[in-house]
Amino acid sequence: MIPAGRVSLTRAVLLLGVVALGLWLLTVELAVVGAGGGSAAADPAVLPAAAGKRRRAHAQAVVRRSPDAWRTREWRRAVDRHAAVVRRHLADGMLAASSVAVCLGGAQEAMALRELGVVGAVAVARERSPPLAVAGHDRRLPFPDSSVDFVYAGRALDFSERQADLAGEAARIVKPDGHGHLVVLTSGASDAYSLRSLQSILPSLRLLRSRVINGADGSTLRELVFRKHADIPTTTGTSPSNGNNSGGTCADRDRKLIGLAEPLIRDEPAKPWITLKRNIKNIRYLPALADIGFKRRYVYVDVGARSYGSSIGGWFRKQYPKQNHTFEVFAVEADPAFHADYARRRGVALLPYAAWVRNETLTFEINDGPGPGKKKGGGGGGGAGKPNGRGMGRIRRAAGETRGVSSGEVRRVQAFDLAEWLKRTASGQDYVVMKMDVEGTEFDLVPRMIDTGAICLVDELFLECHYNRWQRCCPGERSPKYSNTYAECLELFTSLRKSGVLVHQWW
């Protein structure tokens, strides 16, 4: 016979077992109902978090056999920074799990997209590094035309040595008809000039929106989102703005930028050789006012160059702020006395002709002008005389015309249409600086460049205007060499700035 106390203990244990079994069955039932997605589904705030953890764990698994750099703390921080930027585009519907996404800045960008659920995201690097990076370069991305839904450029354009090439490739692979997007982060494009420069190297894309974000180093970056449309030409060759002007104005120029330039000297200086030289210190160069980075080429044209040291070596290469860009240099000089100087100069293309309004042969005179102790330039033959002490050369419009100045040397030279040459040589995607010192011919050349629209290809112009100024040698006397007045020079500068050209009074 079993004692009563022992029977009670056995019953209690059995009862507890039945209760535990019931609770377990109830838990299983609730889990089944929750998985069914009905009204009793789990908390929606919990599911995305759990799914995000699973995606992150799955994405991180792909780097276990990858380079050590992919597992550093800094690399991890970079992934998180890019994820914070891209997350907004997921919310906006520009990105989806099935999107074909390409990152141009590095593998950490692709990792960020994968952790956010874009499982097929890849980066482009110089060397293939699976599974996150494929091999490619700025001039050729390894993707077919119009095949990518989302290109995340990051700061790749800022750091690229071939910005225009990379931009053109990014635009090429993006899907058209509004289905493809390009996202750019840049420290530039904060002003209208640099933003238009960036847009000019993306002619097949339209700017959708922009916002300011904070960079990793505390700097301010601008995020620009572009969308591709099939109705926009995809060519990256000559810009539509090549030679475009409307009523003598450059419609795409930033008038605020012109307003930041140094003021023009309104009153005629009594000592122009001093006033204009001092004014150089006041000049506000364009690269000091805007980012010039988003240009295909960088070109300097010296019209009336004389010797290499006169302007190219003596000023432009030493003093002009180039923002670390390499410029192609063209020297326009008709006087043969200076041509030999350029034969040994690397990186300078000599145009041994006179800049003019059409292609023709005309008379070119060289003289020193009046003044005590001055010698007539040249001595009459074959480029005689020392180049540095040689008189200034200029076009003589009509046979026998000297305008009151005896000519030390007269010769026939070939002239060319400067405006048409510039339109063939440069485009709106190029950054063009021009210096012009043509001994009075500017009153012919500038109107011609305005009429043809060629002036709109010049980003910055340094113009020496020649007028019947007071002479240094002879107090109270004006130069008989030029017939134009200072008021006409001032009008020339004013009209250029009104046209949208950043022009400076040069000396």
Side-chain angles (χ1 to χ4, degrees):
M1 184 174 180
I2 303 173
R6 188 172 180 180
V7 171
S8 298
L9 179 60
T10 302
R11 288 178 179 177
V13 171
L14 291 173
L15 181 60
L16 287 173
V18 171
V19 171
L21 179 61
L23 290 173
W24 180 78
L25 291 173
L26 180 61
T27 302
V28 171
E29 180 65 20
L30 289 174
V32 171
V33 173
S39 59
D43 185 349
V46 175
L47 284 178
K53 289 180 180 179
R54 289 194 298 271
R55 286 196 302 266
R56 180 165 179 167
H58 177 73
Q60 289 175 344
V62 305
V63 302
R64 289 174 184 169
R65 298 186 302 274
S66 300
D68 292 340
W70 292 11
R71 296 188 290 273
T72 63
R73 184 175 300 176
E74 179 56 35
W75 200 83
R76 179 67 249 170
R77 284 197 289 261
V79 171
D80 293 339
R81 287 195 301 267
H82 290 298
V85 174
V86 175
R87 190 173 285 113
R88 177 185 180 184
H89 305 299
L90 276 166
D92 292 346
M94 293 182 185
L95 266 172
S98 59
S99 294
V100 178
V102 173
C103 304
L104 304 182
Q108 61 266 52
E109 297 176 355
M111 183 70 172
L113 265 68
R114 289 196 180 196
E115 289 185 358
L116 291 172
V118 187
V119 294
V122 294
V124 178
R126 290 188 176 182
E127 296 182 1
R128 180 175 176 269
S129 186
L132 293 181
V134 298
H137 53 81
D138 293 358
R139 287 185 169 181
R140 186 65 186 177
L141 298 179
F143 305 98
D145 295 356
S146 304
S147 62
V148 178
D149 299 297
F150 188 85
V151 176
Y152 183 64
R155 298 198 63 189
L157 288 180
D158 278 357
F159 300 143
S160 173
E161 295 180 356
R162 300 181 179 276
Q163 292 176 321
D165 292 336
L166 182 58
E169 277 294 280
R172 177 185 65 80
I173 67 176
V174 172
K175 289 182 178 179
D177 298 323
H179 299 301
H181 296 85
L182 168 66
V183 176
V184 175
L185 302 183
T186 175
S187 59
S190 59
D191 58 272
Y193 175 87
S194 53
L195 178 58
R196 273 195 294 270
S197 298
L198 175 57
Q199 290 177 290
S200 72
I201 59 176
L202 293 167
S204 63
L205 277 68
R206 286 178 180 163
L207 182 63
L208 183 63
R209 70 183 186 209
S210 70
R211 63 169 175 156
V212 174
I213 63 175
N214 294 323
D217 57 355
S219 61
T220 298
L221 299 178
R222 184 168 295 274
E223 181 195 62
L224 303 169
V225 181
F226 294 89
R227 176 180 290 169
K228 188 173 183 178
H229 293 268
D231 60 338
I232 305 178
T234 59
T235 177
T236 57
T238 301
S239 169
S241 63
N242 188 5
N244 260 6
N245 69 333
S246 177
T249 63
C250 305
D252 62 342
R253 291 299 173 87
D254 185 4
R255 295 306 191 274
K256 291 183 180 179
L257 196 65
I258 303 296
L260 295 175
E262 75 284 353
L264 297 173
I265 301 172
R266 296 289 173 180
D267 299 324
E268 179 183 352
K271 297 181 178 181
W273 56 91
I274 297 177
T275 304
L276 292 173
K277 187 174 182 179
R278 288 177 176 173
N279 188 56
I280 294 178
K281 299 178 181 179
N282 301 324
I283 286 177
R284 303 194 67 186
Y285 296 98
L286 178 53
L289 303 174
D291 184 355
I292 66 171
F294 298 109
K295 290 291 186 177
R296 180 172 293 276
R297 296 164 60 222
Y298 298 86
V299 179
Y300 173 60
V301 183
D302 196 320
V303 186
R306 290 176 62 79
S307 67
Y308 174 82
S310 295
S311 295
I312 298 173
W315 165 70
F316 181 75
R317 285 190 161 166
K318 291 182 178 180
Q319 300 180 33
Y320 188 80
K322 305 173 187 65
Q323 293 187 4
N324 295 322
H325 298 291
T326 301
F327 279 70
E328 299 175 42
V329 178
F330 294 90
V332 181
E333 178 53 57
D335 190 344
F338 301 108
H339 294 173
D341 188 23
Y342 290 97
R344 59 182 182 272
R345 304 293 180 180
R346 293 183 178 181
V348 182
L350 173 65
L351 278 66
Y353 314 109
W356 187 229
V357 298
R358 54 186 168 269
N359 299 326
E360 63 177 341
T361 302
L362 42 72
T363 303
F364 192 78
E365 66 176 11
I366 300 163
N367 59 74
D368 285 324
K374 293 236 180 179
K375 296 181 179 180
K376 297 295 187 294
K386 295 182 179 181
N388 289 338
R390 189 170 174 81
M392 305 295 290
R394 64 168 180 161
I395 292 174
R396 183 189 290 181
R397 293 179 181 82
E401 178 190 357
T402 62
R403 296 193 179 182
V405 180
S406 299
S407 176
E409 180 180 335
V410 177
R411 63 171 64 229
R412 300 288 286 175
V413 299
Q414 181 64 42
F416 72 105
D417 190 329
L418 177 66
E420 290 302 322
W421 171 84
L422 185 61
K423 292 175 70 174
R424 293 192 306 269
T425 303
S427 78
Q429 295 178 347
D430 301 331
Y431 183 77
V432 179
V433 180
M434 178 178 288
K435 187 226 78 178
M436 184 181 293
D437 179 5
V438 288
E439 298 298 301
T441 312
E442 62 270 14
F443 287 98
D444 300 285
L445 294 179
V446 171
R448 166 70 175 168
M449 294 180 70
I450 292 176
D451 290 343
T452 60
I455 197 67
C456 298
L457 298 175
V458 179
D459 293 271
E460 191 164 21
L461 175 62
F462 298 86
L463 174 64
E464 180 175 350
C465 188
H466 299 81
Y467 62 97
N468 58 348
R469 62 179 64 183
W470 299 110
Q471 295 189 91
R472 188 175 189 175
C473 67
C474 316
E477 294 184 19
R478 290 185 178 273
S479 170
K481 189 176 179 180
Y482 310 106
S483 60
N484 298 96
T485 65
Y486 185 81
E488 290 174 301
C489 280
L490 185 60
E491 175 59 29
L492 192 62
F493 285 108
T494 302
S495 64
L496 282 167
R497 287 196 174 181
K498 286 182 178 179
S499 297
V501 180
L502 183 59
V503 63
H504 307 285
Q505 290 170 295
W506 203 234
W507 175 79

mmCIF file of all heavy atoms in Angstrom, residues 24 82 96 129 135 210 257 261 349 500:
data_model
loop_
_atom_site.group_PDB
_atom_site.id
_atom_site.type_symbol
_atom_site.label_atom_id
_atom_site.label_comp_id
_atom_site.label_asym_id
_atom_site.label_seq_id
_atom_site.Cartn_x
_atom_site.Cartn_y
_atom_site.Cartn_z
ATOM 1 N N TRP A 24 3.384 25.064 -23.707
ATOM 2 C CA TRP A 24 4.209 24.874 -24.918
ATOM 3 C C TRP A 24 3.359 24.799 -26.168
ATOM 4 O O TRP A 24 3.666 25.390 -27.197
ATOM 5 C CB TRP A 24 5.011 23.586 -24.748
ATOM 6 C CG TRP A 24 5.900 23.288 -25.941
ATOM 7 C CD1 TRP A 24 7.081 23.846 -26.236
ATOM 8 C CD2 TRP A 24 5.617 22.361 -26.991
ATOM 9 N NE1 TRP A 24 7.595 23.348 -27.416
ATOM 10 C CE2 TRP A 24 6.695 22.422 -27.898
ATOM 11 C CE3 TRP A 24 4.552 21.482 -27.244
ATOM 12 C CZ2 TRP A 24 6.750 21.641 -29.046
ATOM 13 C CZ3 TRP A 24 4.628 20.699 -28.391
ATOM 14 C CH2 TRP A 24 5.704 20.770 -29.280
ATOM 15 N N HIS A 82 28.269 55.281 -45.801
ATOM 16 C CA HIS A 82 27.606 55.164 -47.098
ATOM 17 C C HIS A 82 26.181 54.624 -46.946
ATOM 18 O O HIS A 82 25.273 55.047 -47.672
ATOM 19 C CB HIS A 82 28.423 54.263 -48.022
ATOM 20 C CG HIS A 82 29.713 54.869 -48.472
ATOM 21 N ND1 HIS A 82 29.767 56.018 -49.229
ATOM 22 C CD2 HIS A 82 31.002 54.504 -48.257
ATOM 23 C CE1 HIS A 82 31.033 56.331 -49.467
ATOM 24 N NE2 HIS A 82 31.795 55.427 -48.887
ATOM 25 N N ALA A 96 15.906 48.980 -55.021
ATOM 26 C CA ALA A 96 15.160 47.827 -54.545
ATOM 27 C C ALA A 96 16.121 46.655 -54.436
ATOM 28 O O ALA A 96 17.257 46.704 -54.928
ATOM 29 C CB ALA A 96 14.004 47.501 -55.488
ATOM 30 N N SER A 129 38.315 42.057 -57.304
ATOM 31 C CA SER A 129 38.409 41.563 -55.933
ATOM 32 C C SER A 129 37.052 41.012 -55.528
ATOM 33 O O SER A 129 36.257 41.688 -54.880
ATOM 34 C CB SER A 129 38.853 42.692 -54.998
ATOM 35 O OG SER A 129 39.085 42.195 -53.703
ATOM 36 N N ALA A 135 36.707 44.486 -62.064
ATOM 37 C CA ALA A 135 37.779 45.304 -62.631
ATOM 38 C C ALA A 135 37.225 46.290 -63.650
ATOM 39 O O ALA A 135 36.361 45.958 -64.461
ATOM 40 C CB ALA A 135 38.833 44.412 -63.275
ATOM 41 N N SER A 210 19.033 67.981 -55.115
ATOM 42 C CA SER A 210 20.310 68.083 -54.423
ATOM 43 C C SER A 210 20.062 68.384 -52.959
ATOM 44 O O SER A 210 19.017 68.911 -52.583
ATOM 45 C CB SER A 210 21.196 69.166 -55.056
ATOM 46 O OG SER A 210 20.661 70.447 -54.791
ATOM 47 N N LEU A 257 28.691 85.571 -60.431
ATOM 48 C CA LEU A 257 30.137 85.395 -60.491
ATOM 49 C C LEU A 257 30.791 86.645 -61.069
ATOM 50 O O LEU A 257 31.844 87.090 -60.598
ATOM 51 C CB LEU A 257 30.473 84.174 -61.342
ATOM 52 C CG LEU A 257 31.882 83.611 -61.225
ATOM 53 C CD1 LEU A 257 32.126 83.078 -59.818
ATOM 54 C CD2 LEU A 257 32.102 82.512 -62.241
ATOM 55 N N ALA A 261 33.791 89.906 -59.392
ATOM 56 C CA ALA A 261 35.064 90.349 -59.963
ATOM 57 C C ALA A 261 35.417 91.749 -59.471
ATOM 58 O O ALA A 261 34.558 92.500 -58.979
ATOM 59 C CB ALA A 261 34.983 90.334 -61.487
ATOM 60 N N ALA A 349 51.896 74.955 -77.987
ATOM 61 C CA ALA A 349 51.659 74.880 -79.427
ATOM 62 C C ALA A 349 51.689 76.291 -80.004
ATOM 63 O O ALA A 349 50.899 77.148 -79.615
ATOM 64 C CB ALA A 349 50.307 74.215 -79.705
ATOM 65 N N GLY A 500 28.317 88.292 -69.990
ATOM 66 C CA GLY A 500 28.571 87.133 -69.143
ATOM 67 C C GLY A 500 30.005 86.670 -69.162
ATOM 68 O O GLY A 500 30.303 85.564 -68.703
#
